[in-house]
Each structure stands twice: as structure tokens, then as C-alpha cells.
Amino acid sequence: MAYSPLGHGFLTGTIRSAADLPRLDDSDFRKNNPRFAGKNFERNLRIADEVQAVADQTGATPAPGRSRLAAGQG
């Protein structure tokens, strides 16, 4: 079961811009993770937005939809 995208904050909406990163605790791995830097960050946000759009169309939240996709049921 995929859990990292939820925990990383992309699908939960916790991290929506680079301005959100300074709020994180200094020990938070996201501050130094390449996923949260430059073009990678922009790409990951676009993917999260696409997942959100599908969730909105189906009346769900991104978390269950992502879980179903990871389980091969979506």
C-alpha cells in the first residue's frame, strides 16, 4: 500500500508551495528531499492537483483514491 505521498504532504494539501517548507521543523526530511526542490516540486504539485481533480469529480478525497490506485482497484 502506498503511503508516502500522503505522508509527504502532497495529497493532504499540507505542502502547496515552496513557502510552506520554512514552516517545517529543522529535522523534517522534506527540507532536504529532492522531491521538494525546484522542478521536481512543481511536477509533484501538478500530479497532486490532477489527483485532486479526479477526487473532486468522484466526490472523494485524494487519499482513498490514491489508495485504490495503489491497490490496483482504480
Side-chain angles (χ1 to χ4, degrees):
M1 180 64 63
Y3 66 92
S4 292
L6 298 173
H8 291 164
F10 281 116
L11 295 181
T12 61
T14 303
I15 305 294
R16 290 299 307 157
S17 74
D20 294 328
L21 295 176
R23 289 193 331 233
L24 301 175
D25 184 82
D26 286 340
S27 64
D28 194 308
F29 79 97
R30 293 175 288 188
K31 283 192 167 189
N32 298 310
N33 188 311
R35 213 174 266 180
F36 292 87
K39 299 252 183 226
N40 291 334
F41 187 77
E42 294 170 21
R43 280 186 227 121
N44 284 317
L45 282 178
R46 279 197 307 270
I47 292 167
D49 289 342
E50 290 175 24
V51 171
Q52 181 65 55
V54 171
D56 291 344
Q57 290 173 358
T58 61
T61 63
R66 176 65 181 109
S67 297
R68 283 193 299 273
L69 284 172
Q73 299 172 357

